Amino acid sequence: MYVLEMNHVSKSFPGVKALDDVTLKVKSGTVHALMGENGAGKSTLMKCLFGLYSMDEGEIRFNGEPVAINNVKEALSLGISMIHQELHLIPYRSVMENIWLGRFPRIGGAKSPVIDHQAMYERTDQLLKDLNLNSITPNDLLRTLSVSKAQSVEIAKAVSYDSKIIIMDEPSSSLTENEVEHLFSIIRSLRQRGVAIIYISHKMEEILKISDEVTIMRDGHYVGTWEASELTTATIIKRMVGRDLTHRFPSGESNIGKELLRVENYTSPNPRSFKHVSLTLHEGEILGLGGLVGAQRTEVMEAVFGLRLHNEGALYVRGKKVTINNSYDAKKYGMALLTEERRATGIFPVLSVQQSSA
Ligand SMILES: Nc1ncnc2c1ncn2[C@@H]1O[C@H](COP(=O)(O)OP(=O)(O)O)[C@@H](O)[C@H]1O
Ligand SMILES: [Mg+2]
């Protein structure tokens, strides 16, 4: 009845016992949430299952049979796929090339050097149709797709391996609410086909909505497994942290001081972008900027930081009118911007920390 059993799994890294006698039992055709605080061992357990790490102790059973998973290829051939938090696709290749990478269909047999683009296109088209991914076509370049669509391609790729178990490690962390709904509809259709999904997330409401069962881990230990319908946000948190949490968020003592930044009537030269935006920020204040997707929140902040044009409006730092035309100006006034897509615009992955922050 279990498609997957992981029993007595232990794994140490130098100085840390990341997993200590952990159990995970997953039924086919269910969504199984794996929960725990940061560092609880969730990703390590999944990497053991996907053949990225080898376990120090323990066994894995697949459909009741003990199996050895020594590398990713073995995991994939058993029907286990993993969708990582950071997507692993190739930006300058098409959707179909990304999906079939390493196993392109060939004209004249597997050893032939001639790639069968027609077959690859048709298989991809069918795969996308089966998953209702109608806004993606096999020839789309990956770099032109949104994060959510790129993730859908990863899921299609997982499905193309005829996976029985799909691991999703924090798949919703960079998605908007609508995109999460879309992800859930894909997950539900996979579940209907008998696929088991292992879903890692910190978002309680999401977990309670999408999962059938929940396994909770704490500090590398197995806490237990429950039906999602038996759990509430409060009971999950209690089991994750091991004590009652009466205050989920620390009480908000704030000491609001003088005005730091004032944006007056900022308007974009682009008529479809922001218009007449004003806001005031004080010392010690956290100012929330709300709005639906597409409301131009990011654009306003980028304009304030000098990354986008505005053709109307004024900016004041500590009451003094200033002009910020680029990020150097913004830095000069003591501003910093943590960007939405940190990999693309926030960091230089090939530079050291020291060079990046200079
Ligand atoms: N490659 C690694 N090398 C050393 N320590 C690691 C490695 N991966 C994870 N850890 C440690 O193992 C513990 C569990 O981490 P992880 O599985 O990433 O937790 P989670 O995914 O639940 O946040 C943490 O203490 C983490 O620092
Ligand atoms: Mg993790």
Tab-separated table of all heavy atoms in Angstrom, residues 226-283:
chain	number	residue	atom	x	y	z
A	226	TRP	N	0.555	12.386	10.226
A	226	TRP	CA	-0.862	12.566	10.495
A	226	TRP	C	-1.620	12.793	9.199
A	226	TRP	O	-1.051	13.237	8.205
A	226	TRP	CB	-1.078	13.793	11.389
A	226	TRP	CG	-0.538	13.635	12.766
A	226	TRP	CD1	-1.197	13.142	13.852
A	226	TRP	CD2	0.795	13.957	13.211
A	226	TRP	NE1	-0.354	13.129	14.949
A	226	TRP	CE2	0.865	13.621	14.594
A	226	TRP	CE3	1.930	14.476	12.604
A	226	TRP	CZ2	2.014	13.796	15.352
A	226	TRP	CZ3	3.083	14.656	13.354
A	226	TRP	CH2	3.118	14.321	14.718
A	227	GLU	N	-2.925	12.506	9.246
A	227	GLU	CA	-3.805	12.932	8.155
A	227	GLU	C	-3.897	14.456	8.218
A	227	GLU	O	-4.040	15.010	9.317
A	227	GLU	CB	-5.227	12.402	8.397
A	227	GLU	CG	-5.329	10.909	8.480
A	227	GLU	CD	-5.830	10.327	7.174
A	227	GLU	OE1	-6.506	11.057	6.430
A	227	GLU	OE2	-5.526	9.149	6.915
A	228	ALA	N	-3.857	15.105	7.068
A	228	ALA	CA	-3.919	16.571	7.078
A	228	ALA	C	-5.206	17.058	7.737
A	228	ALA	O	-5.216	18.083	8.419
A	228	ALA	CB	-3.819	17.119	5.658
A	229	SER	N	-6.286	16.285	7.571
A	229	SER	CA	-7.560	16.735	8.132
A	229	SER	C	-7.569	16.745	9.663
A	229	SER	O	-8.412	17.381	10.274
A	229	SER	CB	-8.694	15.852	7.608
A	229	SER	OG	-8.415	14.499	7.923
A	230	GLU	N	-6.594	16.017	10.270
A	230	GLU	CA	-6.528	16.032	11.742
A	230	GLU	C	-5.761	17.230	12.267
A	230	GLU	O	-5.655	17.402	13.478
A	230	GLU	CB	-5.749	14.814	12.254
A	230	GLU	CG	-6.271	13.451	11.921
A	230	GLU	CD	-5.247	12.414	12.398
A	230	GLU	OE1	-5.108	12.239	13.622
A	230	GLU	OE2	-4.576	11.814	11.541
A	231	LEU	N	-5.114	17.977	11.373
A	231	LEU	CA	-4.172	19.007	11.829
A	231	LEU	C	-4.725	20.413	11.646
A	231	LEU	O	-5.574	20.660	10.804
A	231	LEU	CB	-2.868	18.891	11.032
A	231	LEU	CG	-2.056	17.616	11.229
A	231	LEU	CD1	-0.920	17.560	10.229
A	231	LEU	CD2	-1.510	17.542	12.658
A	232	THR	N	-4.196	21.308	12.460
A	232	THR	CA	-4.467	22.733	12.270
A	232	THR	C	-3.111	23.427	12.243
A	232	THR	O	-2.093	22.818	12.601
A	232	THR	CB	-5.259	23.309	13.450
A	232	THR	OG1	-4.452	23.148	14.632
A	232	THR	CG2	-6.591	22.615	13.645
A	233	THR	N	-3.111	24.682	11.847
A	233	THR	CA	-1.864	25.440	11.837
A	233	THR	C	-1.191	25.367	13.212
A	233	THR	O	0.012	25.146	13.323
A	233	THR	CB	-2.165	26.910	11.476
A	233	THR	OG1	-2.777	26.914	10.208
A	233	THR	CG2	-0.907	27.735	11.424
A	234	ALA	N	-2.000	25.501	14.265
A	234	ALA	CA	-1.432	25.519	15.627
A	234	ALA	C	-0.802	24.170	15.984
A	234	ALA	O	0.306	24.128	16.541
A	234	ALA	CB	-2.512	25.877	16.633
A	235	THR	N	-1.468	23.055	15.627
A	235	THR	CA	-0.886	21.759	15.993
A	235	THR	C	0.364	21.469	15.166
A	235	THR	O	1.309	20.870	15.661
A	235	THR	CB	-1.904	20.599	15.844
A	235	THR	OG1	-2.452	20.646	14.527
A	235	THR	CG2	-3.012	20.673	16.865
A	236	ILE	N	0.378	21.923	13.919
A	236	ILE	CA	1.582	21.718	13.106
A	236	ILE	C	2.759	22.477	13.728
A	236	ILE	O	3.843	21.924	13.916
A	236	ILE	CB	1.379	22.178	11.645
A	236	ILE	CG1	0.339	21.309	10.933
A	236	ILE	CG2	2.694	22.106	10.879
A	236	ILE	CD1	0.021	21.759	9.526
A	237	ILE	N	2.536	23.732	14.047
A	237	ILE	CA	3.635	24.549	14.597
A	237	ILE	C	4.141	23.927	15.893
A	237	ILE	O	5.343	23.793	16.111
A	237	ILE	CB	3.176	26.003	14.853
A	237	ILE	CG1	2.847	26.665	13.519
A	237	ILE	CG2	4.259	26.793	15.574
A	237	ILE	CD1	2.344	28.078	13.650
A	238	LYS	N	3.201	23.493	16.717
A	238	LYS	CA	3.578	22.908	18.000
A	238	LYS	C	4.480	21.692	17.785
A	238	LYS	O	5.500	21.525	18.449
A	238	LYS	CB	2.310	22.515	18.742
A	238	LYS	CG	2.553	22.010	20.127
A	238	LYS	CD	1.253	21.759	20.845
A	238	LYS	CE	1.546	20.976	22.111
A	238	LYS	NZ	0.321	20.655	22.836
A	239	ARG	N	4.119	20.855	16.824
A	239	ARG	CA	4.929	19.653	16.588
A	239	ARG	C	6.242	19.978	15.893
A	239	ARG	O	7.228	19.278	16.072
A	239	ARG	CB	4.115	18.649	15.781
A	239	ARG	CG	3.071	18.011	16.678
A	239	ARG	CD	1.961	17.333	15.936
A	239	ARG	NE	0.985	16.894	16.920
A	239	ARG	CZ	-0.251	16.533	16.632
A	239	ARG	NH1	-0.685	16.551	15.400
A	239	ARG	NH2	-1.065	16.152	17.581
A	240	MET	N	6.250	21.033	15.097
A	240	MET	CA	7.496	21.425	14.435
A	240	MET	C	8.516	21.988	15.412
A	240	MET	O	9.707	21.702	15.319
A	240	MET	CB	7.230	22.469	13.342
A	240	MET	CG	6.889	21.851	12.007
A	240	MET	SD	6.329	23.013	10.745
A	240	MET	CE	7.342	24.421	10.993
A	241	VAL	N	8.042	22.805	16.341
A	241	VAL	CA	9.001	23.447	17.255
A	241	VAL	C	9.085	22.727	18.596
A	241	VAL	O	9.995	22.991	19.383
A	241	VAL	CB	8.712	24.955	17.469
A	241	VAL	CG1	8.735	25.696	16.153
A	241	VAL	CG2	7.397	25.162	18.170
A	242	GLY	N	8.135	21.820	18.871
A	242	GLY	CA	8.237	21.021	20.075
A	242	GLY	C	7.713	21.696	21.332
A	242	GLY	O	7.964	21.253	22.433
A	243	ARG	N	7.015	22.799	21.177
A	243	ARG	CA	6.401	23.440	22.343
A	243	ARG	C	5.274	24.323	21.835
A	243	ARG	O	5.156	24.564	20.634
A	243	ARG	CB	7.423	24.279	23.112
A	243	ARG	CG	7.982	25.408	22.288
A	243	ARG	CD	9.222	26.022	22.936
A	243	ARG	NE	10.141	26.449	21.884
A	243	ARG	CZ	10.045	27.595	21.219
A	243	ARG	NH1	9.100	28.464	21.517
A	243	ARG	NH2	10.883	27.909	20.266
A	244	ASP	N	4.439	24.791	22.754
A	244	ASP	CA	3.349	25.664	22.337
A	244	ASP	C	3.910	27.008	21.920
A	244	ASP	O	4.789	27.544	22.576
A	244	ASP	CB	2.385	25.894	23.507
A	244	ASP	CG	1.335	24.804	23.539
A	244	ASP	OD1	0.770	24.533	22.471
A	244	ASP	OD2	1.096	24.238	24.613
A	245	LEU	N	3.390	27.494	20.853
A	245	LEU	CA	3.815	28.829	20.448
A	245	LEU	C	2.605	29.725	20.590
A	245	LEU	O	1.670	29.642	19.810
A	245	LEU	CB	4.249	28.826	18.985
A	245	LEU	CG	5.730	28.696	18.691
A	245	LEU	CD1	6.006	29.201	17.289
A	245	LEU	CD2	6.574	29.455	19.687
A	246	THR	N	2.625	30.524	21.606
A	246	THR	CA	1.457	31.384	21.782
A	246	THR	C	1.553	32.604	20.887
A	246	THR	O	0.573	33.130	20.422
A	246	THR	CB	1.310	31.801	23.249
A	246	THR	OG1	2.621	31.967	23.787
A	246	THR	CG2	0.578	30.742	24.045
A	247	HIS	N	2.808	32.995	20.616
A	247	HIS	CA	2.976	34.132	19.707
A	247	HIS	C	3.709	33.653	18.470
A	247	HIS	O	4.904	33.390	18.536
A	247	HIS	CB	3.776	35.250	20.363
A	247	HIS	CG	3.128	35.751	21.606
A	247	HIS	ND1	1.938	36.424	21.581
A	247	HIS	CD2	3.492	35.658	22.906
A	247	HIS	CE1	1.597	36.734	22.814
A	247	HIS	NE2	2.520	36.279	23.640
A	248	ARG	N	2.986	33.504	17.386
A	248	ARG	CA	3.631	33.035	16.163
A	248	ARG	C	4.596	34.092	15.657
A	248	ARG	O	5.647	33.800	15.138
A	248	ARG	CB	2.550	32.755	15.122
A	248	ARG	CG	3.101	32.113	13.877
A	248	ARG	CD	1.952	31.602	13.033
A	248	ARG	NE	2.386	31.370	11.678
A	248	ARG	CZ	1.552	31.186	10.671
A	248	ARG	NH1	0.248	31.225	10.870
A	248	ARG	NH2	2.011	30.968	9.456
A	249	PHE	N	4.231	35.339	15.805
A	249	PHE	CA	5.127	36.421	15.420
A	249	PHE	C	5.509	37.166	16.687
A	249	PHE	O	4.681	37.322	17.581
A	249	PHE	CB	4.430	37.368	14.442
A	249	PHE	CG	3.999	36.671	13.194
A	249	PHE	CD1	2.664	36.346	12.993
A	249	PHE	CD2	4.931	36.302	12.239
A	249	PHE	CE1	2.263	35.683	11.848
A	249	PHE	CE2	4.540	35.630	11.088
A	249	PHE	CZ	3.207	35.323	10.891
A	250	PRO	N	6.747	37.640	16.794
A	250	PRO	CA	7.117	38.384	17.987
A	250	PRO	C	6.273	39.656	18.089
A	250	PRO	O	5.864	40.209	17.075
A	250	PRO	CB	8.598	38.726	17.752
A	250	PRO	CG	8.847	38.513	16.309
A	250	PRO	CD	7.826	37.539	15.815
A	251	SER	N	6.009	40.084	19.306
A	251	SER	CA	5.148	41.249	19.449
A	251	SER	C	5.844	42.454	18.825
A	251	SER	O	7.049	42.623	18.941
A	251	SER	CB	4.845	41.502	20.918
A	251	SER	OG	6.030	41.868	21.565
A	252	GLY	N	5.083	43.240	18.134
A	252	GLY	CA	5.676	44.290	17.314
A	252	GLY	C	5.939	45.582	18.055
A	252	GLY	O	5.187	46.543	17.944
A	253	GLU	N	7.032	45.592	18.811
A	253	GLU	CA	7.433	46.838	19.460
A	253	GLU	C	8.174	47.655	18.423
A	253	GLU	O	9.239	47.245	17.971
A	253	GLU	CB	8.399	46.539	20.611
A	253	GLU	CG	7.796	45.775	21.759
A	253	GLU	CD	7.251	46.709	22.824
A	253	GLU	OE1	7.857	47.790	22.998
A	253	GLU	OE2	6.222	46.372	23.435
A	254	SER	N	7.659	48.782	18.046
A	254	SER	CA	8.446	49.577	17.111
A	254	SER	C	8.567	50.994	17.633
A	254	SER	O	7.735	51.474	18.384
A	254	SER	CB	7.834	49.557	15.721
A	254	SER	OG	6.502	49.991	15.809
A	255	ASN	N	9.646	51.589	17.209
A	255	ASN	CA	9.981	52.900	17.690
A	255	ASN	C	10.107	53.786	16.469
A	255	ASN	O	11.151	53.857	15.852
A	255	ASN	CB	11.331	52.785	18.419
A	255	ASN	CG	11.420	53.805	19.505
A	255	ASN	OD1	10.691	54.802	19.461
A	255	ASN	ND2	12.305	53.580	20.456
A	256	ILE	N	9.011	54.405	16.125
A	256	ILE	CA	9.011	55.126	14.855
A	256	ILE	C	9.538	56.536	15.048
A	256	ILE	O	9.086	57.261	15.943
A	256	ILE	CB	7.605	55.116	14.246
A	256	ILE	CG1	7.265	53.644	13.938
A	256	ILE	CG2	7.544	55.977	12.990
A	256	ILE	CD1	6.069	53.424	13.122
A	257	GLY	N	10.533	56.879	14.233
A	257	GLY	CA	11.199	58.172	14.392
A	257	GLY	C	10.857	59.139	13.273
A	257	GLY	O	9.731	59.182	12.790
A	258	LYS	N	11.867	59.861	12.878
A	258	LYS	CA	11.670	60.944	11.901
A	258	LYS	C	11.472	60.408	10.488
A	258	LYS	O	11.823	59.268	10.187
A	258	LYS	CB	12.909	61.845	11.915
A	258	LYS	CG	13.054	62.632	13.211
A	258	LYS	CD	13.934	63.854	13.032
A	258	LYS	CE	15.418	63.613	13.146
A	258	LYS	NZ	16.018	63.291	14.402
A	259	GLU	N	10.978	61.271	9.644
A	259	GLU	CA	10.781	60.888	8.246
A	259	GLU	C	12.134	60.643	7.569
A	259	GLU	O	13.048	61.433	7.687
A	259	GLU	CB	10.037	62.004	7.513
A	259	GLU	CG	9.884	61.704	6.046
A	259	GLU	CD	9.298	62.893	5.270
A	259	GLU	OE1	8.192	63.331	5.631
A	259	GLU	OE2	9.962	63.352	4.335
A	260	LEU	N	12.238	59.504	6.867
A	260	LEU	CA	13.481	59.166	6.163
A	260	LEU	C	13.346	59.390	4.659
A	260	LEU	O	14.210	59.945	4.020
A	260	LEU	CB	13.790	57.686	6.362
A	260	LEU	CG	14.706	57.267	7.481
A	260	LEU	CD1	14.929	55.771	7.413
A	260	LEU	CD2	16.045	57.988	7.384
A	261	LEU	N	12.257	58.886	4.130
A	261	LEU	CA	12.092	58.886	2.680
A	261	LEU	C	10.662	59.302	2.346
A	261	LEU	O	9.718	58.835	2.988
A	261	LEU	CB	12.334	57.464	2.155
A	261	LEU	CG	12.180	57.268	0.660
A	261	LEU	CD1	13.377	57.822	-0.078
A	261	LEU	CD2	12.017	55.790	0.323
A	262	ARG	N	10.544	60.185	1.380
A	262	ARG	CA	9.197	60.557	0.936
A	262	ARG	C	9.163	60.529	-0.583
A	262	ARG	O	10.019	61.097	-1.253
A	262	ARG	CB	8.807	61.935	1.468
A	262	ARG	CG	7.426	62.428	1.022
A	262	ARG	CD	6.835	63.433	2.024
A	262	ARG	NE	7.856	64.341	2.526
A	262	ARG	CZ	8.062	65.586	2.074
A	262	ARG	NH1	7.312	66.095	1.125
A	262	ARG	NH2	9.019	66.333	2.581
A	263	VAL	N	8.205	59.798	-1.124
A	263	VAL	CA	8.010	59.727	-2.566
A	263	VAL	C	6.739	60.497	-2.846
A	263	VAL	O	5.708	60.245	-2.216
A	263	VAL	CB	7.837	58.257	-3.018
A	263	VAL	CG1	7.589	58.181	-4.509
A	263	VAL	CG2	9.044	57.423	-2.623
A	264	GLU	N	6.822	61.449	-3.758
A	264	GLU	CA	5.627	62.252	-4.051
A	264	GLU	C	5.250	62.142	-5.506
A	264	GLU	O	6.043	62.490	-6.380
A	264	GLU	CB	5.888	63.721	-3.695
A	264	GLU	CG	5.407	64.046	-2.303
A	264	GLU	CD	5.660	65.496	-1.917
A	264	GLU	OE1	5.981	66.316	-2.811
A	264	GLU	OE2	5.560	65.780	-0.716
A	265	ASN	N	4.065	61.638	-5.753
A	265	ASN	CA	3.466	61.711	-7.077
A	265	ASN	C	4.318	61.069	-8.177
A	265	ASN	O	4.383	61.563	-9.292
A	265	ASN	CB	3.220	63.192	-7.402
A	265	ASN	CG	2.234	63.341	-8.543
A	265	ASN	OD1	1.333	62.513	-8.695
A	265	ASN	ND2	2.421	64.339	-9.368
A	266	TYR	N	4.984	59.967	-7.866
A	266	TYR	CA	5.825	59.308	-8.875
A	266	TYR	C	4.951	58.759	-10.000
A	266	TYR	O	3.971	58.062	-9.760
A	266	TYR	CB	6.624	58.168	-8.233
A	266	TYR	CG	8.092	58.493	-8.091
A	266	TYR	CD1	8.478	59.747	-7.609
A	266	TYR	CD2	9.085	57.582	-8.438
A	266	TYR	CE1	9.824	60.058	-7.480
A	266	TYR	CE2	10.423	57.880	-8.305
A	266	TYR	CZ	10.786	59.127	-7.832
A	266	TYR	OH	12.110	59.441	-7.710
A	267	THR	N	5.321	59.078	-11.222
A	267	THR	CA	4.552	58.640	-12.385
A	267	THR	C	5.517	58.169	-13.462
A	267	THR	O	6.519	58.830	-13.732
A	267	THR	CB	3.683	59.804	-12.910
A	267	THR	OG1	2.793	60.188	-11.864
A	267	THR	CG2	2.879	59.408	-14.137
A	268	SER	N	5.200	57.035	-14.032
A	268	SER	CA	6.078	56.447	-15.050
A	268	SER	C	5.808	57.069	-16.413
A	268	SER	O	4.672	57.426	-16.716
A	268	SER	CB	5.805	54.943	-15.115
A	268	SER	OG	6.365	54.400	-16.267
A	269	PRO	N	6.840	57.153	-17.262
A	269	PRO	CA	6.589	57.577	-18.643
A	269	PRO	C	5.752	56.556	-19.416
A	269	PRO	O	5.134	56.881	-20.424
A	269	PRO	CB	7.988	57.710	-19.253
A	269	PRO	CG	8.911	56.982	-18.340
A	269	PRO	CD	8.263	56.899	-16.997
A	270	ASN	N	5.734	55.330	-18.935
A	270	ASN	CA	4.932	54.291	-19.579
A	270	ASN	C	3.487	54.408	-19.084
A	270	ASN	O	3.222	54.238	-17.890
A	270	ASN	CB	5.528	52.923	-19.215
A	270	ASN	CG	4.695	51.767	-19.736
A	270	ASN	OD1	3.591	51.957	-20.251
A	270	ASN	ND2	5.222	50.565	-19.589
A	271	PRO	N	2.542	54.700	-19.981
A	271	PRO	CA	1.175	54.953	-19.524
A	271	PRO	C	0.522	53.753	-18.845
A	271	PRO	O	-0.449	53.923	-18.108
A	271	PRO	CB	0.431	55.329	-20.810
A	271	PRO	CG	1.291	54.870	-21.931
A	271	PRO	CD	2.708	54.826	-21.427
A	272	ARG	N	1.061	52.538	-19.073
A	272	ARG	CA	0.442	51.376	-18.418
A	272	ARG	C	1.096	51.056	-17.089
A	272	ARG	O	0.761	50.083	-16.442
A	272	ARG	CB	0.521	50.153	-19.331
A	272	ARG	CG	-0.544	50.184	-20.415
A	272	ARG	CD	-0.288	49.075	-21.362
A	272	ARG	NE	1.148	49.036	-21.667
A	272	ARG	CZ	1.690	48.437	-22.707
A	272	ARG	NH1	0.940	47.775	-23.518
A	272	ARG	NH2	2.978	48.460	-22.912
A	273	SER	N	2.093	51.859	-16.695
A	273	SER	CA	2.780	51.565	-15.445
A	273	SER	C	2.259	52.480	-14.334
A	273	SER	O	1.147	52.985	-14.421
A	273	SER	CB	4.283	51.674	-15.671
A	273	SER	OG	4.974	51.107	-14.594
A	274	PHE	N	3.073	52.741	-13.313
A	274	PHE	CA	2.563	53.437	-12.124
A	274	PHE	C	2.268	54.920	-12.378
A	274	PHE	O	2.906	55.567	-13.199
A	274	PHE	CB	3.550	53.274	-10.968
A	274	PHE	CG	4.955	53.707	-11.302
A	274	PHE	CD1	5.360	55.020	-11.078
A	274	PHE	CD2	5.877	52.814	-11.848
A	274	PHE	CE1	6.643	55.427	-11.380
A	274	PHE	CE2	7.166	53.210	-12.155
A	274	PHE	CZ	7.551	54.530	-11.934
A	275	LYS	N	1.276	55.400	-11.634
A	275	LYS	CA	0.853	56.807	-11.768
A	275	LYS	C	0.608	57.395	-10.381
A	275	LYS	O	-0.049	56.769	-9.559
A	275	LYS	CB	-0.493	56.874	-12.490
A	275	LYS	CG	-0.461	56.623	-13.968
A	275	LYS	CD	-1.839	56.928	-14.545
A	275	LYS	CE	-1.969	56.433	-15.962
A	275	LYS	NZ	-2.012	54.974	-16.067
A	276	HIS	N	1.077	58.592	-10.141
A	276	HIS	CA	0.747	59.371	-8.936
A	276	HIS	C	0.929	58.567	-7.654
A	276	HIS	O	0.025	58.496	-6.820
A	276	HIS	CB	-0.694	59.886	-9.001
A	276	HIS	CG	-1.016	60.551	-10.308
A	276	HIS	ND1	-0.267	61.600	-10.807
A	276	HIS	CD2	-1.978	60.302	-11.232
A	276	HIS	CE1	-0.759	61.960	-11.980
A	276	HIS	NE2	-1.792	61.188	-12.272
A	277	VAL	N	2.084	57.943	-7.491
A	277	VAL	CA	2.321	57.155	-6.279
A	277	VAL	C	3.044	58.014	-5.250
A	277	VAL	O	4.057	58.631	-5.560
A	277	VAL	CB	3.176	55.910	-6.586
A	277	VAL	CG1	3.487	55.143	-5.304
A	277	VAL	CG2	2.458	55.017	-7.573
A	278	SER	N	2.500	58.061	-4.042
A	278	SER	CA	3.152	58.791	-2.966
A	278	SER	C	3.240	57.890	-1.747
A	278	SER	O	2.319	57.122	-1.473
A	278	SER	CB	2.341	60.032	-2.587
A	278	SER	OG	2.244	60.897	-3.701
A	279	LEU	N	4.355	57.961	-1.024
A	279	LEU	CA	4.453	57.232	0.241
A	279	LEU	C	5.526	57.873	1.108
A	279	LEU	O	6.406	58.576	0.606
A	279	LEU	CB	4.729	55.749	0.003
A	279	LEU	CG	5.917	55.348	-0.863
A	279	LEU	CD1	7.174	55.216	-0.031
A	279	LEU	CD2	5.611	54.004	-1.516
A	280	THR	N	5.411	57.618	2.397
A	280	THR	CA	6.361	58.195	3.348
A	280	THR	C	6.865	57.097	4.265
A	280	THR	O	6.073	56.298	4.765
A	280	THR	CB	5.666	59.281	4.208
A	280	THR	OG1	4.978	60.157	3.329
A	280	THR	CG2	6.682	60.073	5.009
A	281	LEU	N	8.165	57.066	4.465
A	281	LEU	CA	8.780	56.039	5.303
A	281	LEU	C	9.566	56.713	6.426
A	281	LEU	O	10.310	57.658	6.175
A	281	LEU	CB	9.735	55.205	4.437
A	281	LEU	CG	10.508	54.109	5.139
A	281	LEU	CD1	9.580	52.960	5.513
A	281	LEU	CD2	11.627	53.584	4.238
A	282	HIS	N	9.378	56.216	7.652
A	282	HIS	CA	10.057	56.800	8.809
A	282	HIS	C	11.134	55.885	9.340
A	282	HIS	O	11.143	54.685	9.046
A	282	HIS	CB	9.041	57.077	9.924
A	282	HIS	CG	7.964	58.020	9.511
A	282	HIS	ND1	6.820	57.593	8.890
A	282	HIS	CD2	7.877	59.364	9.613
A	282	HIS	CE1	6.058	58.643	8.625
A	282	HIS	NE2	6.678	59.721	9.053
A	283	GLU	N	11.992	56.415	10.164
A	283	GLU	CA	12.999	55.599	10.858
A	283	GLU	C	12.309	54.498	11.654
A	283	GLU	O	11.283	54.753	12.301
A	283	GLU	CB	13.793	56.470	11.841
A	283	GLU	CG	14.727	57.444	11.174
A	283	GLU	CD	15.354	58.421	12.173
A	283	GLU	OE1	14.905	58.469	13.337
A	283	GLU	OE2	16.279	59.124	11.771
